[in-house]
């Protein structure tokens, strides 16, 4: 019986450490803006727990941490140097890895880690240059030597052949390096979209943004709703519906989608929703609400609201003719046919 408990002691201990590791990671994920002290404590706790946990727990922890916006540099370097089956999602998706850390991981690890780094949504020019330089420094496999066959009456001239082959290999190497550089630059340009690139998106004009800020300063909700409806090219009902969300989340989503500057959006939210002006972690709650939004998700959500508004809202111009036509028909129907006939009979006499 004791031997059985001893056999179970090892797996139970590993499972317990897995639970502690995931609890530590979950606690760190809940911190939207961790302080230096919290980052240091997490770095001290994470490494020993990670090393003592199972492979499945390691994968789950790395997948969860790849979504964090902030992370200690030591932890990012430690995770990036793990085997590729564990570190791949972190290298490909994490926004908390600094450029220097990515370069260090690429130099320390093999081609699999470099491939995961290249698959990131955006790469800085610094990282691209480092990857190209790393590619250039790697030794290339030697080409198989062609057998030399001597022909009768033809003297061998090895020196010109060797020099021409060396020049051809050098030219081929330069062409391959340039092609690799262009490919990485194209990949970074297509996948990494700049925040100020609003081509094809609905964007506030300078006048519209100035009006929204002015109405928020004077807290004129009616005028603000009118200006917001004009900016959205939607009905006033939709603008009022957005402003009725007392949490400020819908208005923050709309302002982010329209491309309002961050500080002006914070001012507008604090003007209409006083509870968002409260200080938390040295910034206001409005700042935290806007900072947590994703621009692409805001665009999709606002466009869905506008489509629903077009389906459900009927302009007044379309209703007015219908009302006039209805009234005219009612007026014609007020005279019965028999009465008209009697009147005509009397007149004929």
């Amino acid at each position: 019986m004791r031997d059985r408990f001893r056999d179970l002691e090892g797996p139970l201990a590993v499972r317990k450490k897995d639970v502690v590791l995931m609890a530590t990671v979950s606690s760190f994920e809940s911190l939207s803006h961790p302080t230096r002290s919290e980052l240091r404590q997490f770095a001290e706790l994470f490494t020993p727990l990670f090393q003592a946990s199972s492979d499945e727990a390691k994968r789950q922890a790395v997948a969860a941490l790849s979504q964090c916006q902030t992370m200690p540099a030591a932890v990012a370097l430690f995770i990036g140097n793990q085997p590729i089956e564990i570190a791949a999602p972190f290298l490909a998706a994490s926004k908390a890895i600094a450029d220097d850390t990515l370069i260090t991981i690429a130099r320390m690890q093999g081609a699999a880690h470099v491939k995961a780094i290249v698959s990131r949504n955006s790469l800085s020019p610094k990282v691209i240059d480092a990857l190209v330089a790393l590619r250039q420094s790697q030794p290339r496999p030697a080409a198989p030597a062609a057998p030399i066959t001597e022909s009768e009456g033809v003297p061998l001239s090895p020196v010109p052949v060797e020099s021409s082959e060396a020049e051809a290999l050098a030219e081929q190497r330069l062409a391959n390096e340039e092609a690799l550089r262009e490919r990485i630059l194209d990949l970074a340009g297509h996948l990494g979209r700049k925040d100020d690139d609003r081509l094809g998106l609905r964007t506030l004009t300078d006048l519209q943004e100035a009006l929204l800020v002015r109405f928020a300063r004077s807290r004129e909700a009616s005028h603000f709703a009118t200006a917001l409806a004009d900016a959205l090219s939607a009905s006033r009902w939709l603008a009022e519906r957005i402003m009725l969300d007392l949490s400020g989340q819908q208005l923050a989503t709309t302002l982010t989608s329209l491309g309002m500057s961050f500080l002006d959006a914070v001012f507008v939210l604090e003007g209409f929703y006083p509870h968002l002006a409260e200080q938390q972690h040295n910034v206001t709650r409005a700042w935290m609400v806007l900072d947590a939004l994703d621009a692409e998700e805001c665009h999709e959500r606002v466009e869905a609201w506008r489509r629903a508004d077009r389906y459900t809202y009927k302009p007044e111009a379309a209703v007015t003719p219908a009302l006039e036509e209805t009234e005219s028909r009612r007026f014609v129907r007020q005279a019965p046919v028999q009465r008209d006939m009697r009147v005509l009979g009397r007149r004929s006499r």
Side-chain angles (χ1 to χ4, degrees):
M1 183 67 69
R2 293 181 180 179
D3 294 338
R4 292 182 180 179
F5 282 115
R6 289 176 182 175
D7 295 338
L8 292 174
E9 185 177 359
L12 290 175
V14 173
R15 185 175 300 177
K16 183 178 180 181
K17 292 178 181 178
D18 292 348
V19 173
V20 176
L21 174 63
M22 297 308 301
T24 304
V25 172
S26 300
S27 300
F28 182 75
E29 282 184 302
S30 63
L31 301 175
S32 57
H33 297 280
T35 62
R36 292 183 179 180
S37 177
E38 292 171 340
L39 291 173
R40 184 177 64 254
Q41 292 177 2
F42 177 73
E44 294 174 353
L45 292 174
F46 178 77
T47 302
L49 290 175
F50 187 87
Q51 293 175 342
S53 301
S54 62
D55 292 342
E56 183 63 25
K58 291 178 181 179
R59 294 190 186 93
Q60 294 179 5
V62 170
L65 291 176
S66 63
Q67 305 300 321
C68 295
Q69 300 293 329
T70 307
M71 186 176 301
V75 175
L77 181 61
F78 174 76
I79 295 176
N81 285 321
Q82 296 300 311
I84 189 60
E85 60 270 12
I86 295 177
F90 185 78
L91 294 175
S94 177
K95 298 180 181 180
I97 311 179
D99 291 343
D100 293 336
T101 304
L102 286 174
I103 295 172
T104 302
I105 295 171
R107 290 174 178 172
M108 295 174 61
Q109 301 300 325
H113 288 71
V114 174
K115 185 177 180 180
I117 294 174
V118 172
S119 65
R120 293 174 64 87
N121 289 338
S122 60
L123 290 173
S124 66
K126 181 179 180 181
V127 176
I128 293 174
D129 292 338
L131 293 178
V132 173
L134 182 64
R135 175 74 176 179
Q136 294 176 359
S137 63
Q138 290 180 352
R140 295 181 176 274
I148 300 176
T149 58
E150 296 183 359
S151 58
E152 297 180 358
V154 179
L156 296 177
S157 55
V159 177
V161 175
E162 291 180 357
S163 61
S164 61
E165 289 182 355
E167 292 176 358
L169 290 175
E171 292 178 359
Q172 184 66 27
R173 180 174 61 83
L174 292 176
N176 292 338
E177 291 169 358
E178 187 64 25
L180 176 62
R181 181 181 178 84
E182 293 296 332
R183 181 180 179 184
I184 295 177
L185 288 174
D186 292 341
L187 182 63
H190 284 292
L191 297 181
R193 180 172 182 170
K194 297 181 180 179
D195 295 336
D196 56 352
D197 183 10
R198 299 189 57 81
L199 182 63
L201 300 178
R202 184 173 299 277
T203 306
L204 289 174
T205 63
D206 295 339
L207 178 59
Q208 289 173 335
E209 185 168 355
L211 288 174
L212 291 176
V213 173
R214 176 183 177 181
F215 295 146
R217 181 181 294 108
S218 59
R219 296 187 178 180
E220 299 179 13
S222 178
H223 295 324
F224 185 91
T226 302
L228 184 62
D230 177 68
L232 291 170
S233 298
S235 67
R236 181 185 173 88
W237 178 87
L238 176 60
E240 292 176 350
R241 183 69 177 173
I242 291 172
M243 296 178 65
L244 284 176
D245 179 20
L246 299 182
S247 67
Q249 190 74 27
Q250 293 187 10
L251 183 57
T253 301
T254 305
L255 297 179
T256 301
S257 174
L258 292 175
M260 176 176 280
S261 65
F262 188 85
L263 295 180
D264 288 343
V266 171
F267 177 81
V268 170
L269 290 178
E270 293 177 356
F272 283 113
Y273 309 102
H275 66 280
L276 295 181
E278 300 175 359
Q279 293 283 334
Q280 287 188 355
H281 304 290
N282 298 326
V283 294
T284 62
R285 295 179 62 183
W287 184 294
M288 298 175 63
V289 169
L290 288 167
D291 187 56
L293 293 177
D294 180 74
E296 295 295 334
E297 294 180 359
C298 292
H299 301 327
E300 295 176 0
R301 186 168 300 178
V302 171
E303 287 303 314
W305 294 344
R306 293 182 65 254
R307 287 194 298 269
D309 181 65
R310 288 197 300 268
Y311 296 151
T312 57
Y313 174 73
K314 297 180 179 179
E316 296 180 359
V319 178
T320 303
L323 291 176
E324 293 177 355
E325 184 179 357
T326 303
E327 293 295 335
S328 62
R329 289 179 180 178
R330 289 178 181 176
F331 180 76
V332 172
R333 292 176 184 175
Q334 287 179 357
V337 177
Q338 296 178 356
R339 183 178 178 182
D340 293 342
M341 294 296 294
R342 288 197 299 269
V343 172
L344 291 173
R346 292 175 183 176
R347 290 180 180 179
S348 61
R349 291 176 186 176

